[in-house]
Amino acid sequence: MTAQIYIQPVGFAPSPQSELGDAIRLAGGMVYAHRFAVITREDGRVADRVLVSSQGMEQALSALPADIAADARDQWAALSKVHSPIQLGERTLRLDQPQIMGILNVTPDSFSDGGEFLDRPEAGKAHASAMLEAGAALVDIGGESTRPGAAATWEGDELERVIPAVEYCAAMGAAISVDTRRPAVMEAALDAGAHIINDVSALRHDPRSLSLMAAQDCPVVLMHAPGEGDNLHANDSYDNVALDVFDWLRTARDRAIEAGIAREHIILDPGIGFGKSLADNLALINTLPLFHALGQPLLLGASRKRMIGALSNEAPADQRLGGSIALAMAGMNAGVQLLRVHDVPQTVQARNVWRGLRDAALTDFAMMAPD
């Protein structure tokens, strides 16, 4: 019987002083955690769960069996790890507050924009410019639909869609991410001015991707998807979706590091909507703080996803703004560093108000008794 350990933040505070210092700054951001569940799993099932404060964690770790204690200490250190800014060309992406990644789909069958930005490049250019002006830290360009049931895209078509968009975004001076799982597209996009590769297959779709990304020495997003090949939504069976996705992402991270990709270049994404039921997606959103224990910046892509429609009388994709903002706020409250969204101005406004609340709490000592 093999035991596994997980440290999940479960109690949060608006500021460290509100818990008399018994809190940690989660992942170097603007969220403070003061209560944690130390979870032991055996043969896929939760065997033990102990609640611990931050000040009691050392005692709890010291009581763990030797075979899981080292992993637990690594996770505890990772939860308070301060992530260095990411340099993207002339732009610097700070990770001490949530950053907004604006979506630019250049596909003929996008569930969100219906191919508008592919058929009319001037519209795509204007949309990218508007997102940047509204406060997007970077633009994420995608040339292939990966929704359930979508047909695979030929590499040549993807290149013809993506590269012109990269070029006009680069001409604006934008920080650029490209959503692709094909190494030829990755390489061409980076040569054209992209800075980050966002791979929904976590570099599994093509065996050449790992070595290419190691050689390119640039940031990469590794997303969880249970399927392989062209069907990323297959094999959607979990013992415990949060812990299973955690283990999968840890394996993907370690595989990338072993291939020569620098750890500081790895960003992780739990893959909301990919091979997951509504219940699975909700469970992942509710356990997002757990994934900081992997020690990497996190990306959340939940904007306009099917789960919002399922919870709102089957609202179509273009009528899911309220749900998208709610999920973005859940990501902010969990300390997620990157939010991939369609509705940039509204999400930036929500982020700015959220940050105002956080800043106010951090400097507010009015409810504290004098020493």
Side-chain angles (χ1 to χ4, degrees), residues 3 22 50 59 69 77 82 95 144 159 194 240 261 307 310 368:
D22 190 5
V50 179
Q59 182 178 351
V82 177
L95 300 176
E144 178 187 35
L159 283 165
N240 179 308
I261 296 173
M307 66 177 292
M368 304 296 292

Side-chain angles (χ1 to χ4, degrees), residues 73-94:
R73 289 188 179 279
D74 287 345
Q75 290 186 38
W76 178 238
L79 285 171
S80 56
K81 179 179 179 180
V82 177
H83 298 285
S84 299
I86 300 175
Q87 196 65 37
L88 306 174
E90 296 182 358
R91 292 179 175 265
T92 300
L93 185 68
R94 294 183 52 157

Side-chain angles (χ1 to χ4, degrees), residues 32 212 222 288:
Y32 293 87
L212 171 66
L222 306 179
L288 281 173

Side-chain angles (χ1 to χ4, degrees), residues 309-323:
L311 293 169
S312 52
N313 298 317
E314 302 302 331
D318 62 352
Q319 295 178 29
R320 296 176 185 170
L321 173 61

Side-chain angles (χ1 to χ4, degrees), residues 292-327:
H292 290 296
L294 290 168
Q296 309 301 135
L298 301 179
L299 183 150
L300 177 65
S303 176
R304 300 188 186 178
K305 287 284 176 80
R306 174 71 185 82
M307 66 177 292
I308 301 171
L311 293 169
S312 52
N313 298 317
E314 302 302 331
D318 62 352
Q319 295 178 29
R320 296 176 185 170
L321 173 61
S324 297
I325 295 295
L327 293 177

Side-chain angles (χ1 to χ4, degrees), residues 247-288:
D247 291 344
W248 192 100
L249 287 174
R250 172 162 48 188
T251 298
R253 177 202 66 191
D254 293 346
R255 176 172 171 262
I257 293 171
E258 289 171 5
I261 296 173
R263 180 164 183 173
E264 60 268 23
H265 285 165
I266 298 172
I267 301 164
L268 300 178
D269 177 351
I272 299 300
F274 281 77
K276 299 171 183 77
S277 68
L278 174 60
D280 293 333
N281 288 319
L282 292 171
L284 283 173
I285 295 291
N286 282 331
T287 54
L288 281 173

Side-chain angles (χ1 to χ4, degrees), residues 15-224:
S15 65
Q17 66 265 27
S18 65
E19 292 293 329
L20 300 179
D22 190 5
I24 66 167
R25 184 183 179 195
L26 191 61
M30 304 181 74
V31 175
Y32 293 87
H34 70 92
R35 195 163 176 81
F36 307 84
V38 180
I39 300 167
T40 305
R41 184 158 76 145
E42 296 176 352
D43 296 333
R45 296 176 179 270
V46 172
D48 191 33
R49 183 177 184 271
V50 179
L51 293 178
V52 185
S53 72
S54 61
Q55 292 180 356
M57 186 59 72
E58 178 57 37
Q59 182 178 351
L61 296 178
S62 298
L64 290 173
D67 59 335
I68 56 175
D71 186 15
R73 289 188 179 279
D74 287 345
Q75 290 186 38
W76 178 238
L79 285 171
S80 56
K81 179 179 179 180
V82 177
H83 298 285
S84 299
I86 300 175
Q87 196 65 37
L88 306 174
E90 296 182 358
R91 292 179 175 265
T92 300
L93 185 68
R94 294 183 52 157
L95 300 176
D96 57 355
Q97 69 168 327
Q99 301 287 359
I100 309 304
M101 173 189 282
I103 298 170
L104 177 62
N105 285 320
V106 285
T107 60
D109 54 351
S110 167
F111 82 95
S112 176
D113 54 53
E116 177 186 4
F117 304 136
L118 174 63
D119 297 336
R120 298 174 54 235
E122 67 278 8
K125 187 174 183 178
H127 183 62
S129 177
M131 290 194 295
L132 293 168
E133 185 175 351
L138 65 163
V139 176
D140 188 56
I141 300 170
E144 178 187 35
S145 175
T146 50
R147 73 184 191 280
T153 300
W154 178 54
E155 187 176 86
D157 287 340
E158 189 178 354
L159 283 165
E160 289 183 2
R161 298 169 184 174
V162 167
I163 301 309
V166 172
E167 290 174 343
Y168 64 62
C169 287
M172 300 176 196
I176 303 166
S177 166
V178 171
D179 183 352
T180 184
R181 50 185 175 156
R182 293 179 174 82
V185 179
M186 296 176 189
E187 187 170 26
L190 292 169
D191 288 345
H195 306 98
I196 297 178
I197 296 300
N198 179 12
D199 187 352
V200 295
S201 79
L203 303 178
R204 296 177 301 134
H205 184 73
D206 189 307
R208 298 171 295 173
S209 297
L210 279 167
S211 58
L212 171 66
M213 291 308 299
Q216 290 286 349
D217 195 33
C218 72
V220 60
V221 179
L222 306 179
M223 193 198 78
H224 173 270

